[in-house]
Amino acid sequence: AQSVTQLGSHVSVSEGALVLLRCNYSSSVPPYLFWYVQYPNQGLQLLLKYTSAATLVKGINGFEAEFKKSETSFHLTKPSAHMSDAAEYFCAVSDFSGTYKYIFGTGTRLKVLA
Amino acid sequence: GAVVSQHPSRVICKSGTSVKIECRSLDFQATTMFWYRQFPKKSLMLMATSNEGSKATYEQGVEKDKFLINHASLTLSTLTVTSAHPEDSSFYICSARDLGTGGPLDEQFFGPGTRLTVL
């Protein structure tokens, strides 16, 4: 069964600093992985997804993630944090049942300090 | 990108009443829609998978008679919380899968969520 683990429920960075949000996955088959962002009282917006085409995936808003099979990781990074990046971030893996439902991590709340 | 809407965005109801939440895919067809529940500062918990024209598949621990799901068309799924109680208060989010290829690469698009408060 697929699963994801997000290390760190809260991450704080200074504006302009590197953002690193961690996600490790468990999967018996090559996974499809996703990062979503959620702003307060809103739904989820897709940041990027890994579908085995390339290990370094670029997403929206300057975010990117690197798939590392040896480390079973799919960490999300952004070189320079902006105040508007403050939000909740979720890592998810698609399972391989008939409906390909998503299994979400517990989320990481990113706080950006001025 | 594809748009999924939810209605209402917020609802307050009295204990014992039923509440219906609609999830619509506005510019694409979705054979599969998912319903999630999100507790404050928590992750999304998948409640059920809704398939057009068939019965929903509920996750373990979710009461079928409590949370009625209907997926009557390729663009509409509804979640009815029956005999709501304060513990049902939560943020409910739906998502819809584009028909696409029918495989894991078909993206899920999420609605903006519905905040339910049961007094």
Side-chain angles (χ1 to χ4, degrees), chain A residues 19-57:
Chain A
V19 176
L20 171 61
L21 304 181
R22 299 177 186 274
C23 174
N24 288 87
Y25 70 89
S26 174
S27 178
S28 57
V29 297
Y32 293 109
L33 296 159
F34 308 82
W35 274 101
Y36 282 87
V37 61
Q38 184 182 33
Y39 297 100
N41 295 312
Q42 294 186 27
L44 275 67
Q45 181 182 9
L46 180 67
L47 281 175
L48 48 82
K49 60 183 177 182
Y50 169 74
T51 58
S52 76
T55 56
L56 182 61
V57 182

Side-chain angles (χ1 to χ4, degrees), chain A residues 32 34 36 38 41-44 46 49 51 88 90 94-96 98-102 104-107 109, chain B residues 10 32 34 36 38 42-44 46 49 51 59 91 93 97 102-108 110-112 115:
Chain A
Y32 293 109
F34 308 82
Y36 282 87
Q38 184 182 33
N41 295 312
Q42 294 186 27
L44 275 67
L46 180 67
K49 60 183 177 182
T51 58
E88 187 87 20
F90 293 97
S94 176
D95 83 348
F96 283 82
T99 57
Y100 301 106
K101 61 187 179 185
Y102 288 179
F104 284 89
T106 50
R109 182 168 297 276
Chain B
R10 288 178 175 270
T32 304
F34 301 89
Y36 297 85
Q38 186 178 31
K42 296 288 186 181
S43 187
L44 283 76
L46 180 65
T49 302
N51 295 295
E59 295 297 304
F91 194 53
I93 301 175
R97 284 187 74 218
L105 298 183
D106 294 342
E107 187 174 337
Q108 281 191 39
F110 286 80
R115 173 77 58 193

Side-chain angles (χ1 to χ4, degrees), chain A residues 52-69:
Chain A
S52 76
T55 56
L56 182 61
V57 182
K58 293 187 182 298
I60 63 171
N61 301 339
F63 285 95
E64 62 182 38
E66 186 173 8
F67 175 76
K68 292 187 177 181
K69 184 178 179 180

